[in-house]
């Protein structure tokens, strides 16, 4: 399997955070251990980190992003997961569709998709 930086939670957190001190590095390793032991936590934490990365992607790209301490980012992610407010699977607004809309154009697209799935 090919390595993807976007699938590496530690790499994304290192890019989003200020350089970590020893305590924060230990905390990061504890998170990784928790992720190995609890697959449900791994799935949700990974999605939350990716959501945070996507949210700040343009700022990172334009070099206007202000990195935060890992302890703050991690606390916000954990709190968000507990309260179910973390930005899990954050997608840009233009990718979201409303299935309740019904128009000839949408009906035509749905028919084409159904045809492609049938093949």
């Amino acid at each position: 399997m090919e390595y993807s930086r976007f699938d590496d939670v530690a790499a994304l957190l290192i890019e989003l955070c200020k350089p970590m001190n020893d305590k924060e590095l230990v905390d990061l390793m504890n998170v990784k251990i928790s992720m190995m032991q609890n697959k449900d936590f791994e799935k949700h934490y990974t999605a939350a980190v990716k959501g945070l990365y996507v949210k700040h992607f343009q700022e990172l790209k334009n070099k206007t992003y202000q990195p935060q301490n890992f302890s703050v980012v991690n606390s916000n992610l954990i709190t968000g997961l507990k309260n179910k407010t973390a930005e899990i699977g954050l997608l840009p607004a233009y990718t979201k569709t409303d299935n309740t809309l019904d128009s000839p154009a949408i009906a035509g697209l749905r028919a084409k998709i159904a045809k492609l799935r049938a093949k």
Side-chain angles (χ1 to χ4, degrees), residues 19-101:
M20 297 181 200
N21 60 33
D22 291 341
K23 184 189 177 315
E24 289 177 329
L25 285 173
V26 169
D27 290 344
L28 176 60
M29 289 305 108
N30 288 335
V31 168
K32 290 296 283 182
I33 290 169
S34 296
M35 290 172 71
M36 289 186 333
Q37 294 172 345
N38 183 344
K39 293 300 176 187
D40 192 45
F41 173 71
E42 176 187 22
K43 179 177 78 171
H44 289 98
Y45 193 84
T46 301
V49 171
K50 287 181 178 183
L52 184 64
Y53 187 83
V54 169
K55 178 180 179 181
H56 295 291
F57 180 75
Q58 283 295 22
E59 295 169 46
L60 288 163
K61 184 177 167 187
N62 296 333
K63 304 204 185 301
T64 59
Y65 177 73
Q66 297 296 317
Q68 299 177 356
N69 290 329
F70 172 73
S71 55
V72 173
V73 171
N74 188 48
S75 296
N76 290 342
L77 290 171
I78 298 293
T79 304
L81 290 174
K82 287 180 182 174
N83 297 334
K84 305 223 185 289
T85 59
E87 299 180 40
I88 297 175
L90 180 70
L91 294 174
Y94 60 82
T95 63
K96 297 176 184 173
T97 59
D98 185 0
N99 289 335
T100 61
L101 292 176

